[in-house]
Amino acid sequence: MKVTVERAQLLKSLGHVHRVVERRNTIPILGNVLLRADSTQLALKATDLDLEVTETLAAESATGGSTTVPAHMFYDIVRKLPDGAQIMLEADGDRAVLAIRAGRSRFTLQALPESDFPDLAAGEMAHSFSLAAADVKRLIDRTQFAISTEETRYYLNGIYLHTAGSGKAATLRAVATDGHRLAQVDLPLPAGAAGMPGVIVPRKTVGEVQRLIEDNEAEVRVELSLGKIRFTIGHVVLTSKLIDGTFPDYGRVIPQNNDKELLVDKADFAAAVDRVSTISSERGRAVKLALSAGRLVLSVTNPDSGSATEELEIEYASDPLDIGFNSRYLLDIAAQVEGEVAVLRLADPGSPTLIQDRDNRNALYVLMPMRV
């Protein structure tokens, strides 16, 4: 293999694929990136056996071929080479090394044969549809924070992507929950998505897709089967295993009859929660909301450090109510509300609260209260 490639392009592509590679690997080949050259392009591939990312870039190839080299070291070398450099990669089939040349710099990296590199055989993808990159980013941004990190409830360690509604009201829905809070976002159902199975997309995959979207105007092709999902974004193809589990019946925890409605300026509310929570203990993080007609008093009491209160003007005309929440969870949800006014629908101090954007009802959030 003898190939010449422009540094900026190689660095960008390596940036996309090397993130998949875990820094600690018991299987040496999983620490490597696969390089495969033909006459006009160079393909890079990395995998952790659950997730695989491939990207192709333009290159001048004198002789085709393939090899694998340590991903993070290769990335660091390319990153440190001067801007605008032309990089020559050369691998000889008889010697297990890759030579890297750029200007006066010379490197050789230990290589492993391509035949050892695992292939995440995707099989046939039964369903496929396209979404605007901005929509995919929105689905992920608005739900990712609620993904559970509790490994024992592995079926909550991702975003549940499925269809909801019917007819003209049919939607593509993303849901994530960790048992304390829930996020649900709907998009109009794209052509080709009807009849798709409900799938749980793992947390790591979701994070990689989010990072791969660099142009909101781009189109993302989504293909899926019962076991795998593939995202194609420009020249990058990400294939991932899905979480093999059953997502709980989340509809049962979304309150339907919360009759106390509170309207508050989102920015003022978030700033006030942030200020009073400075006092809260690292473990508890509880903030108390005392609601009365037209007024909200936020308060935090910490026996070890002191107390804080702040008052906000709100729209609220129901009975007075005191309720407590985890301040960090409140701030996470407030950050997702896109408009200027947040609507909180409450029932009582022990029941979940429903939070939405006043002007956009395509997303909803549910938050469990805390004792304060």
Side-chain angles (χ1 to χ4, degrees):
M1 178 175 98
K2 192 171 183 181
V3 61
T4 305
V5 64
E6 207 265 312
R7 178 214 174 243
Q9 277 193 303
L10 182 59
L11 182 64
K12 184 178 177 185
S13 297
L14 270 174
H16 293 155
V17 300
H18 93 287
R19 286 192 304 250
V20 174
V21 178
E22 300 290 349
R23 287 199 175 267
R24 289 183 180 166
N25 267 309
T26 50
I27 308 169
I29 194 72
L30 292 183
N32 282 16
V33 59
L34 170 66
L35 311 175
R36 189 182 283 138
D38 62 23
S39 56
T40 59
Q41 60 185 29
L42 176 67
L44 310 173
K45 184 197 274 190
T47 184
D48 66 0
L49 295 182
D50 291 320
L51 181 63
E52 176 185 280
V53 176
T54 306
E55 180 159 1
T56 50
L57 63 150
E60 289 176 27
S61 182
T63 52
S66 55
T67 189
T68 81
V69 290
H72 293 292
M73 192 171 288
F74 186 33
Y75 175 72
D76 281 344
I77 288 169
V78 175
R79 184 171 59 81
K80 291 173 182 179
L81 287 171
D83 210 9
Q86 291 291 313
I87 300 173
M88 182 184 278
L89 308 172
E90 195 169 352
D92 183 341
D94 302 331
R95 295 172 61 232
V97 294
L98 174 74
I100 304 166
R101 280 187 242 159
R104 296 182 181 182
S105 302
R106 302 281 185 278
F107 298 89
T108 55
L109 288 180
Q110 293 295 320
L112 290 170
E114 181 205 7
S115 54
D116 293 356
F117 199 84
D119 184 28
L120 196 68
E124 188 170 338
M125 298 289 193
H127 296 270
S128 70
F129 52 90
S130 293
L131 287 169
D135 285 341
V136 177
K137 209 163 171 49
R138 183 170 177 271
L139 275 184
I140 293 173
D141 286 348
R142 303 273 174 260
T143 53
Q144 189 180 31
F145 73 94
I147 296 175
S148 174
T149 54
E150 204 180 311
E151 297 302 329
T152 51
R153 297 163 82 189
Y154 65 94
Y155 49 85
L156 297 182
N157 294 164
I159 290 177
Y160 181 42
L161 196 63
H162 59 297
T163 57
S166 59
K168 287 185 176 176
T171 61
L172 179 67
R173 177 175 290 174
V175 178
T177 182
D178 61 5
H180 303 289
R181 56 213 169 142
L182 176 145
Q184 172 187 306
V185 180
D186 286 348
L187 287 177
L189 191 69
M196 66 173 259
V199 296
I200 308 171
V201 187
R203 184 196 312 114
K204 182 175 177 179
T205 304
V206 162
E208 285 307 317
V209 171
Q210 187 185 40
R211 283 192 282 264
L212 286 171
I213 294 172
E214 294 165 341
D215 174 12
N216 280 347
E217 302 299 314
E219 188 175 81
V220 179
R221 182 134 193 85
V222 183
E223 298 164 87
L224 54 89
S225 63
L226 281 171
K228 306 244 172 61
I229 189 164
R230 182 190 292 138
F231 297 88
T232 304
I233 307 160
H235 297 291
V236 188
V237 180
L238 180 150
T239 308
S240 169
K241 290 180 181 175
L242 294 163
I243 292 175
D244 183 13
T246 304
F247 202 79
D249 180 7
Y250 63 89
R252 287 168 46 200
V253 301
I254 297 174
Q256 304 297 330
N257 302 311
N258 285 11
D259 56 350
K260 297 178 174 66
E261 188 175 85
L262 152 68
L263 274 74
V264 63
D265 181 284
K266 180 198 81 168
D268 291 349
F269 179 65
V273 171
D274 193 27
R275 279 192 289 270
V276 297
S277 68
T278 311
I279 294 288
S280 67
S281 68
E282 200 48 45
R283 192 172 58 83
R285 294 181 181 274
V287 58
K288 178 179 166 186
L289 277 62
L291 287 82
S292 55
R295 195 172 77 134
L296 167 65
V297 178
L298 299 153
S299 61
V300 170
T301 305
N302 182 347
D304 299 327
S305 54
S307 62
T309 62
E310 183 150 347
E311 193 176 310
L312 288 175
E313 283 185 18
I314 56 168
E315 286 183 42
Y316 181 76
S318 301
D319 296 336
L321 173 71
D322 289 359
I323 190 168
F325 293 109
N326 179 310
S327 57
R328 186 165 58 83
Y329 292 172
L330 262 184
L331 288 170
D332 282 346
I333 290 176
Q336 308 313 320
V337 174
E338 293 170 89
E340 292 181 3
V341 178
V343 181
L344 283 73
R345 290 193 172 79
L346 309 104
D348 57 64
S351 299
T353 291
L354 184 70
I355 303 171
Q356 282 181 291
D357 185 328
R358 183 184 64 180
D359 304 318
N360 182 354
R361 297 297 167 88
N362 290 336
L364 65 82
Y365 307 94
V366 178
L367 185 55
M368 296 300 293
M370 285 177 79
R371 276 213 187 102
V372 286

mmCIF file of all heavy atoms in Angstrom, residues 85-124:
data_model
loop_
_atom_site.group_PDB
_atom_site.id
_atom_site.type_symbol
_atom_site.label_atom_id
_atom_site.label_comp_id
_atom_site.label_asym_id
_atom_site.label_seq_id
_atom_site.Cartn_x
_atom_site.Cartn_y
_atom_site.Cartn_z
ATOM 1 N N ALA A 85 0.322 19.892 5.263
ATOM 2 C CA ALA A 85 1.275 18.846 4.869
ATOM 3 C C ALA A 85 0.610 17.779 4.012
ATOM 4 O O ALA A 85 -0.576 17.479 4.173
ATOM 5 C CB ALA A 85 1.872 18.202 6.119
ATOM 6 N N GLN A 86 1.377 17.228 3.089
ATOM 7 C CA GLN A 86 0.961 16.044 2.339
ATOM 8 C C GLN A 86 1.556 14.835 3.065
ATOM 9 O O GLN A 86 2.761 14.784 3.303
ATOM 10 C CB GLN A 86 1.480 16.091 0.892
ATOM 11 C CG GLN A 86 0.827 17.162 0.035
ATOM 12 C CD GLN A 86 -0.641 16.852 -0.253
ATOM 13 O OE1 GLN A 86 -0.998 15.739 -0.622
ATOM 14 N NE2 GLN A 86 -1.493 17.844 -0.067
ATOM 15 N N ILE A 87 0.714 13.887 3.410
ATOM 16 C CA ILE A 87 1.175 12.735 4.197
ATOM 17 C C ILE A 87 1.231 11.502 3.301
ATOM 18 O O ILE A 87 0.243 11.166 2.627
ATOM 19 C CB ILE A 87 0.234 12.476 5.394
ATOM 20 C CG1 ILE A 87 0.196 13.707 6.312
ATOM 21 C CG2 ILE A 87 0.669 11.241 6.172
ATOM 22 C CD1 ILE A 87 -0.830 13.622 7.422
ATOM 23 N N MET A 88 2.391 10.839 3.307
ATOM 24 C CA MET A 88 2.509 9.600 2.543
ATOM 25 C C MET A 88 2.482 8.422 3.517
ATOM 26 O O MET A 88 3.223 8.393 4.499
ATOM 27 C CB MET A 88 3.803 9.560 1.733
ATOM 28 C CG MET A 88 3.923 8.288 0.897
ATOM 29 S SD MET A 88 5.488 8.173 0.025
ATOM 30 C CE MET A 88 5.156 9.204 -1.397
ATOM 31 N N LEU A 89 1.602 7.456 3.236
ATOM 32 C CA LEU A 89 1.482 6.249 4.052
ATOM 33 C C LEU A 89 1.955 5.074 3.197
ATOM 34 O O LEU A 89 1.491 4.911 2.064
ATOM 35 C CB LEU A 89 0.029 6.032 4.487
ATOM 36 C CG LEU A 89 -0.680 7.218 5.151
ATOM 37 C CD1 LEU A 89 -2.153 6.922 5.350
ATOM 38 C CD2 LEU A 89 -0.023 7.545 6.489
ATOM 39 N N GLU A 90 2.850 4.289 3.759
ATOM 40 C CA GLU A 90 3.381 3.173 2.978
ATOM 41 C C GLU A 90 3.477 1.923 3.850
ATOM 42 O O GLU A 90 4.040 1.953 4.943
ATOM 43 C CB GLU A 90 4.770 3.540 2.433
ATOM 44 C CG GLU A 90 5.233 2.623 1.330
ATOM 45 C CD GLU A 90 6.487 3.161 0.630
ATOM 46 O OE1 GLU A 90 6.897 4.322 0.899
ATOM 47 O OE2 GLU A 90 7.042 2.415 -0.182
ATOM 48 N N ALA A 91 2.855 0.849 3.368
ATOM 49 C CA ALA A 91 2.917 -0.428 4.084
ATOM 50 C C ALA A 91 3.399 -1.492 3.116
ATOM 51 O O ALA A 91 2.948 -1.555 1.977
ATOM 52 C CB ALA A 91 1.549 -0.796 4.642
ATOM 53 N N ASP A 92 4.346 -2.292 3.602
ATOM 54 C CA ASP A 92 4.889 -3.375 2.785
ATOM 55 C C ASP A 92 4.309 -4.675 3.340
ATOM 56 O O ASP A 92 4.383 -4.928 4.541
ATOM 57 C CB ASP A 92 6.421 -3.349 2.943
ATOM 58 C CG ASP A 92 7.092 -4.388 2.068
ATOM 59 O OD1 ASP A 92 6.385 -5.322 1.662
ATOM 60 O OD2 ASP A 92 8.295 -4.257 1.810
ATOM 61 N N GLY A 93 3.749 -5.476 2.485
ATOM 62 C CA GLY A 93 3.099 -6.712 2.933
ATOM 63 C C GLY A 93 4.003 -7.616 3.740
ATOM 64 O O GLY A 93 3.544 -8.372 4.606
ATOM 65 N N ASP A 94 5.328 -7.559 3.501
ATOM 66 C CA ASP A 94 6.243 -8.471 4.186
ATOM 67 C C ASP A 94 6.604 -7.983 5.592
ATOM 68 O O ASP A 94 6.956 -8.776 6.449
ATOM 69 C CB ASP A 94 7.543 -8.628 3.370
ATOM 70 C CG ASP A 94 7.251 -9.150 1.972
ATOM 71 O OD1 ASP A 94 6.245 -9.865 1.835
ATOM 72 O OD2 ASP A 94 8.001 -8.811 1.034
ATOM 73 N N ARG A 95 6.544 -6.680 5.825
ATOM 74 C CA ARG A 95 6.919 -6.130 7.132
ATOM 75 C C ARG A 95 5.690 -5.564 7.824
ATOM 76 O O ARG A 95 4.896 -4.856 7.217
ATOM 77 C CB ARG A 95 7.965 -5.019 6.960
ATOM 78 C CG ARG A 95 9.289 -5.534 6.411
ATOM 79 C CD ARG A 95 10.233 -4.381 6.060
ATOM 80 N NE ARG A 95 10.543 -3.568 7.235
ATOM 81 C CZ ARG A 95 10.400 -2.248 7.258
ATOM 82 N NH1 ARG A 95 9.932 -1.599 6.202
ATOM 83 N NH2 ARG A 95 10.717 -1.575 8.339
ATOM 84 N N ALA A 96 5.537 -5.880 9.125
ATOM 85 C CA ALA A 96 4.328 -5.477 9.857
ATOM 86 C C ALA A 96 4.459 -4.063 10.406
ATOM 87 O O ALA A 96 4.350 -3.832 11.612
ATOM 88 C CB ALA A 96 4.052 -6.472 10.975
ATOM 89 N N VAL A 97 4.730 -3.103 9.504
ATOM 90 C CA VAL A 97 4.815 -1.700 9.928
ATOM 91 C C VAL A 97 4.160 -0.803 8.879
ATOM 92 O O VAL A 97 4.038 -1.176 7.708
ATOM 93 C CB VAL A 97 6.279 -1.220 10.145
ATOM 94 C CG1 VAL A 97 6.929 -1.935 11.304
ATOM 95 C CG2 VAL A 97 7.095 -1.363 8.872
ATOM 96 N N LEU A 98 3.740 0.371 9.344
ATOM 97 C CA LEU A 98 3.257 1.413 8.423
ATOM 98 C C LEU A 98 4.236 2.579 8.528
ATOM 99 O O LEU A 98 4.510 3.072 9.632
ATOM 100 C CB LEU A 98 1.849 1.880 8.818
ATOM 101 C CG LEU A 98 1.308 3.065 7.999
ATOM 102 C CD1 LEU A 98 0.897 2.616 6.598
ATOM 103 C CD2 LEU A 98 0.127 3.740 8.703
ATOM 104 N N ALA A 99 4.780 2.992 7.390
ATOM 105 C CA ALA A 99 5.668 4.163 7.375
ATOM 106 C C ALA A 99 4.840 5.400 7.073
ATOM 107 O O ALA A 99 3.990 5.393 6.176
ATOM 108 C CB ALA A 99 6.744 3.964 6.317
ATOM 109 N N ILE A 100 5.077 6.462 7.858
ATOM 110 C CA ILE A 100 4.346 7.724 7.681
ATOM 111 C C ILE A 100 5.384 8.807 7.391
ATOM 112 O O ILE A 100 6.323 8.996 8.178
ATOM 113 C CB ILE A 100 3.554 8.088 8.963
ATOM 114 C CG1 ILE A 100 2.604 6.949 9.347
ATOM 115 C CG2 ILE A 100 2.786 9.395 8.780
ATOM 116 C CD1 ILE A 100 2.044 7.063 10.758
ATOM 117 N N ARG A 101 5.207 9.517 6.264
ATOM 118 C CA ARG A 101 6.154 10.579 5.910
ATOM 119 C C ARG A 101 5.405 11.867 5.612
ATOM 120 O O ARG A 101 4.388 11.847 4.922
ATOM 121 C CB ARG A 101 6.962 10.177 4.681
ATOM 122 C CG ARG A 101 8.096 9.247 4.991
ATOM 123 C CD ARG A 101 8.959 9.024 3.778
ATOM 124 N NE ARG A 101 8.941 7.617 3.409
ATOM 125 C CZ ARG A 101 9.244 7.176 2.203
ATOM 126 N NH1 ARG A 101 9.548 8.028 1.235
ATOM 127 N NH2 ARG A 101 9.231 5.898 1.944
ATOM 128 N N ALA A 102 5.930 12.969 6.123
ATOM 129 C CA ALA A 102 5.361 14.285 5.823
ATOM 130 C C ALA A 102 6.495 15.289 5.975
ATOM 131 O O ALA A 102 7.031 15.447 7.078
ATOM 132 C CB ALA A 102 4.214 14.621 6.766
ATOM 133 N N GLY A 103 6.887 15.931 4.864
ATOM 134 C CA GLY A 103 8.015 16.859 4.937
ATOM 135 C C GLY A 103 9.252 16.140 5.433
ATOM 136 O O GLY A 103 9.656 15.105 4.894
ATOM 137 N N ARG A 104 9.828 16.638 6.539
ATOM 138 C CA ARG A 104 11.042 16.008 7.078
ATOM 139 C C ARG A 104 10.732 15.036 8.221
ATOM 140 O O ARG A 104 11.652 14.520 8.866
ATOM 141 C CB ARG A 104 11.992 17.089 7.579
ATOM 142 C CG ARG A 104 12.492 17.988 6.452
ATOM 143 C CD ARG A 104 13.461 19.017 6.973
ATOM 144 N NE ARG A 104 13.929 19.902 5.897
ATOM 145 C CZ ARG A 104 14.813 20.867 6.082
ATOM 146 N NH1 ARG A 104 15.308 21.088 7.282
ATOM 147 N NH2 ARG A 104 15.195 21.625 5.071
ATOM 148 N N SER A 105 9.459 14.818 8.470
ATOM 149 C CA SER A 105 9.074 13.904 9.567
ATOM 150 C C SER A 105 8.943 12.476 9.053
ATOM 151 O O SER A 105 8.402 12.252 7.966
ATOM 152 C CB SER A 105 7.733 14.336 10.174
ATOM 153 O OG SER A 105 7.803 15.656 10.653
ATOM 154 N N ARG A 106 9.430 11.535 9.851
ATOM 155 C CA ARG A 106 9.325 10.111 9.519
ATOM 156 C C ARG A 106 8.859 9.347 10.751
ATOM 157 O O ARG A 106 9.384 9.539 11.843
ATOM 158 C CB ARG A 106 10.692 9.528 9.104
ATOM 159 C CG ARG A 106 11.351 10.198 7.917
ATOM 160 C CD ARG A 106 10.722 9.690 6.602
ATOM 161 N NE ARG A 106 11.409 10.233 5.449
ATOM 162 C CZ ARG A 106 11.187 11.440 4.946
ATOM 163 N NH1 ARG A 106 10.314 12.243 5.522
ATOM 164 N NH2 ARG A 106 11.835 11.857 3.876
ATOM 165 N N PHE A 107 7.857 8.498 10.571
ATOM 166 C CA PHE A 107 7.389 7.642 11.661
ATOM 167 C C PHE A 107 7.189 6.231 11.114
ATOM 168 O O PHE A 107 6.847 6.064 9.939
ATOM 169 C CB PHE A 107 6.021 8.118 12.197
ATOM 170 C CG PHE A 107 6.023 9.496 12.787
ATOM 171 C CD1 PHE A 107 5.785 10.612 11.988
ATOM 172 C CD2 PHE A 107 6.244 9.687 14.138
ATOM 173 C CE1 PHE A 107 5.779 11.891 12.520
ATOM 174 C CE2 PHE A 107 6.232 10.964 14.688
ATOM 175 C CZ PHE A 107 5.998 12.068 13.871
ATOM 176 N N THR A 108 7.360 5.242 11.969
ATOM 177 C CA THR A 108 6.897 3.890 11.617
ATOM 178 C C THR A 108 6.064 3.379 12.785
ATOM 179 O O THR A 108 6.440 3.565 13.954
ATOM 180 C CB THR A 108 8.065 2.905 11.372
ATOM 181 O OG1 THR A 108 8.911 2.895 12.511
ATOM 182 C CG2 THR A 108 8.848 3.253 10.122
ATOM 183 N N LEU A 109 4.928 2.814 12.454
ATOM 184 C CA LEU A 109 4.028 2.266 13.473
ATOM 185 C C LEU A 109 3.906 0.761 13.285
ATOM 186 O O LEU A 109 3.823 0.277 12.152
ATOM 187 C CB LEU A 109 2.627 2.894 13.351
ATOM 188 C CG LEU A 109 2.460 4.347 13.769
ATOM 189 C CD1 LEU A 109 1.016 4.774 13.578
ATOM 190 C CD2 LEU A 109 2.862 4.537 15.235
ATOM 191 N N GLN A 110 3.858 0.048 14.407
ATOM 192 C CA GLN A 110 3.637 -1.392 14.344
ATOM 193 C C GLN A 110 2.236 -1.644 13.789
ATOM 194 O O GLN A 110 1.271 -1.007 14.219
ATOM 195 C CB GLN A 110 3.745 -2.012 15.744
ATOM 196 C CG GLN A 110 5.149 -1.963 16.343
ATOM 197 C CD GLN A 110 6.126 -2.817 15.555
ATOM 198 O OE1 GLN A 110 5.787 -3.912 15.122
ATOM 199 N NE2 GLN A 110 7.324 -2.302 15.334
ATOM 200 N N ALA A 111 2.136 -2.583 12.856
ATOM 201 C CA ALA A 111 0.846 -2.853 12.217
ATOM 202 C C ALA A 111 0.399 -4.282 12.510
ATOM 203 O O ALA A 111 1.225 -5.149 12.820
ATOM 204 C CB ALA A 111 0.954 -2.643 10.706
ATOM 205 N N LEU A 112 -0.897 -4.496 12.442
ATOM 206 C CA LEU A 112 -1.467 -5.845 12.531
ATOM 207 C C LEU A 112 -2.211 -6.110 11.225
ATOM 208 O O LEU A 112 -2.748 -5.179 10.620
ATOM 209 C CB LEU A 112 -2.425 -5.948 13.727
ATOM 210 C CG LEU A 112 -1.788 -5.912 15.127
ATOM 211 C CD1 LEU A 112 -2.866 -5.778 16.200
ATOM 212 C CD2 LEU A 112 -0.942 -7.158 15.372
ATOM 213 N N PRO A 113 -2.255 -7.361 10.782
ATOM 214 C CA PRO A 113 -2.872 -7.640 9.478
ATOM 215 C C PRO A 113 -4.371 -7.363 9.442
ATOM 216 O O PRO A 113 -5.070 -7.520 10.452
ATOM 217 C CB PRO A 113 -2.594 -9.137 9.254
ATOM 218 C CG PRO A 113 -2.310 -9.686 10.615
ATOM 219 C CD PRO A 113 -1.723 -8.580 11.413
ATOM 220 N N GLU A 114 -4.845 -6.964 8.257
ATOM 221 C CA GLU A 114 -6.268 -6.668 8.083
ATOM 222 C C GLU A 114 -7.129 -7.887 8.385
ATOM 223 O O GLU A 114 -8.247 -7.768 8.880
ATOM 224 C CB GLU A 114 -6.529 -6.209 6.638
ATOM 225 C CG GLU A 114 -7.993 -5.863 6.378
ATOM 226 C CD GLU A 114 -8.387 -6.007 4.911
ATOM 227 O OE1 GLU A 114 -7.585 -6.485 4.108
ATOM 228 O OE2 GLU A 114 -9.532 -5.629 4.601
ATOM 229 N N SER A 115 -6.603 -9.081 8.110
ATOM 230 C CA SER A 115 -7.395 -10.310 8.306
ATOM 231 C C SER A 115 -7.831 -10.502 9.763
ATOM 232 O O SER A 115 -8.816 -11.187 10.044
ATOM 233 C CB SER A 115 -6.600 -11.527 7.847
ATOM 234 O OG SER A 115 -5.337 -11.551 8.511
ATOM 235 N N ASP A 116 -7.106 -9.867 10.711
ATOM 236 C CA ASP A 116 -7.484 -9.976 12.131
ATOM 237 C C ASP A 116 -8.604 -9.012 12.513
ATOM 238 O O ASP A 116 -9.189 -9.127 13.591
ATOM 239 C CB ASP A 116 -6.272 -9.660 13.034
ATOM 240 C CG ASP A 116 -5.179 -10.704 12.926
ATOM 241 O OD1 ASP A 116 -5.398 -11.705 12.221
ATOM 242 O OD2 ASP A 116 -4.096 -10.509 13.539
ATOM 243 N N PHE A 117 -8.876 -8.027 11.646
ATOM 244 C CA PHE A 117 -9.802 -6.945 12.013
ATOM 245 C C PHE A 117 -11.251 -7.438 11.941
ATOM 246 O O PHE A 117 -11.686 -7.986 10.925
ATOM 247 C CB PHE A 117 -9.627 -5.741 11.085
ATOM 248 C CG PHE A 117 -10.177 -4.460 11.657
ATOM 249 C CD1 PHE A 117 -9.423 -3.695 12.531
ATOM 250 C CD2 PHE A 117 -11.459 -4.025 11.333
ATOM 251 C CE1 PHE A 117 -9.915 -2.510 13.071
ATOM 252 C CE2 PHE A 117 -11.967 -2.853 11.870
ATOM 253 C CZ PHE A 117 -11.193 -2.093 12.743
ATOM 254 N N PRO A 118 -12.026 -7.272 13.033
ATOM 255 C CA PRO A 118 -13.403 -7.783 13.034
ATOM 256 C C PRO A 118 -14.329 -6.944 12.147
ATOM 257 O O PRO A 118 -14.128 -5.745 11.978
ATOM 258 C CB PRO A 118 -13.826 -7.676 14.504
ATOM 259 C CG PRO A 118 -12.968 -6.596 15.076
ATOM 260 C CD PRO A 118 -11.680 -6.610 14.298
ATOM 261 N N ASP A 119 -15.346 -7.608 11.609
ATOM 262 C CA ASP A 119 -16.319 -6.913 10.770
ATOM 263 C C ASP A 119 -17.683 -7.020 11.439
ATOM 264 O O ASP A 119 -18.143 -8.127 11.741
ATOM 265 C CB ASP A 119 -16.365 -7.570 9.375
ATOM 266 C CG ASP A 119 -17.298 -6.820 8.430
ATOM 267 O OD1 ASP A 119 -17.468 -5.601 8.620
ATOM 268 O OD2 ASP A 119 -17.856 -7.451 7.518
ATOM 269 N N LEU A 120 -18.306 -5.895 11.695
ATOM 270 C CA LEU A 120 -19.624 -5.891 12.332
ATOM 271 C C LEU A 120 -20.666 -6.107 11.234
ATOM 272 O O LEU A 120 -21.314 -5.172 10.784
ATOM 273 C CB LEU A 120 -19.850 -4.551 13.041
ATOM 274 C CG LEU A 120 -20.981 -4.481 14.074
ATOM 275 C CD1 LEU A 120 -20.658 -5.329 15.290
ATOM 276 C CD2 LEU A 120 -21.208 -3.040 14.522
ATOM 277 N N ALA A 121 -20.784 -7.357 10.784
ATOM 278 C CA ALA A 121 -21.673 -7.662 9.654
ATOM 279 C C ALA A 121 -23.093 -7.197 9.964
ATOM 280 O O ALA A 121 -23.717 -7.660 10.914
ATOM 281 C CB ALA A 121 -21.648 -9.155 9.374
ATOM 282 N N ALA A 122 -23.554 -6.255 9.182
ATOM 283 C CA ALA A 122 -24.845 -5.623 9.489
ATOM 284 C C ALA A 122 -26.022 -6.485 9.056
ATOM 285 O O ALA A 122 -27.103 -6.399 9.617
ATOM 286 C CB ALA A 122 -24.917 -4.258 8.835
ATOM 287 N N GLY A 123 -25.823 -7.322 8.018
ATOM 288 C CA GLY A 123 -26.963 -8.080 7.500
ATOM 289 C C GLY A 123 -27.925 -7.145 6.789
ATOM 290 O O GLY A 123 -27.608 -5.989 6.502
ATOM 291 N N GLU A 124 -29.107 -7.639 6.550
ATOM 292 C CA GLU A 124 -30.080 -6.832 5.797
ATOM 293 C C GLU A 124 -30.811 -5.872 6.719
ATOM 294 O O GLU A 124 -31.259 -6.238 7.801
ATOM 295 C CB GLU A 124 -31.089 -7.752 5.103
ATOM 296 C CG GLU A 124 -31.988 -6.969 4.158
ATOM 297 C CD GLU A 124 -32.831 -7.889 3.261
ATOM 298 O OE1 GLU A 124 -32.446 -9.039 3.073
ATOM 299 O OE2 GLU A 124 -33.866 -7.410 2.784
#
